[in-house]
Amino acid sequence: MFGVVRNRPAYLAVATALIALVVSCVSTGAPKLSDSSVRRIAEGEATKNEVSSLLGKPEQILILDKKSLEYYIAGLATRNPPDLTFPEGHYEVWTYSRWSHIASLVFFPSYETAKLCMLIINSDGICLKKLYVEESHMEF
């Protein structure tokens, strides 16, 4: 017992070194959101029920008319806005996102991914358009 007390600084040094090598991982958002699941959504064919079974419940649902929808999309895509036009009517915009961050305190870079999916669904419950973006960032 007394030997453990005398070597306390050595144990603290080893514990600190191990903690420095520990990798932390944080993820938040829609767990089912992935490139492969979004590819399975057929524009003009997929129903709201099919989308829900593939991606789960959306994080956000907006109800917009044609003009509001076009303004909303133009406001989101500031670099390369998609050239989208829609017939008169009301639409649901379903939004999904997923963010992951992996980091280590020492020796390894941190890595971050962000995914965003926006689905435009008409009043008949059909997904007319899907917009999907995935970005990754590595930092030393």
Side-chain angles (χ1 to χ4, degrees):
M1 174 107 175
F2 293 107
V4 173
V5 174
R6 271 188 259 141
N7 291 325
R8 187 178 222 175
Y11 287 117
L12 289 175
V14 170
T16 302
L18 289 175
I19 289 171
L21 295 175
V22 171
V23 174
S24 65
C25 180
V26 175
S27 294
T28 185
K32 295 181 180 179
L33 182 60
S34 69
D35 183 49
S36 62
S37 61
V38 172
R39 272 191 264 128
R40 294 176 57 194
I41 299 170
E43 291 181 352
E45 295 177 19
T47 65
K48 288 171 34 170
N49 288 338
E50 292 170 339
V51 170
S52 290
S53 67
L54 281 171
L55 301 178
K57 183 180 173 185
E59 294 171 348
Q60 180 182 43
I61 299 175
L62 298 174
I63 309 287
L64 302 171
D65 63 10
K66 171 194 172 8
K67 189 174 184 178
S68 299
L69 175 62
E70 291 171 351
Y71 282 134
Y72 180 72
I73 292 170
L76 288 177
T78 56
R79 282 192 272 174
N80 298 318
D83 186 24
L84 300 174
T85 56
F86 298 95
E88 289 297 327
H90 286 84
Y91 299 90
E92 289 184 26
V93 178
W94 288 18
T95 305
Y96 297 87
S97 64
R98 178 110 179 119
W99 176 83
S100 299
H101 185 85
I102 300 171
S104 173
L105 299 176
V106 181
F107 303 125
F108 302 103
S110 67
Y111 185 72
E112 185 173 286
T113 59
K115 301 172 187 177
L116 175 67
C117 180
M118 187 170 74
L119 304 170
I120 299 164
I121 299 169
N122 67 12
S123 57
D124 295 327
I126 304 296
C127 177
L128 296 180
K129 188 71 180 167
K130 61 182 176 183
L131 303 169
Y132 178 75
V133 176
E134 183 173 342
E135 292 188 10
S136 299
H137 178 72
M138 186 178 290
E139 192 173 283
F140 288 92

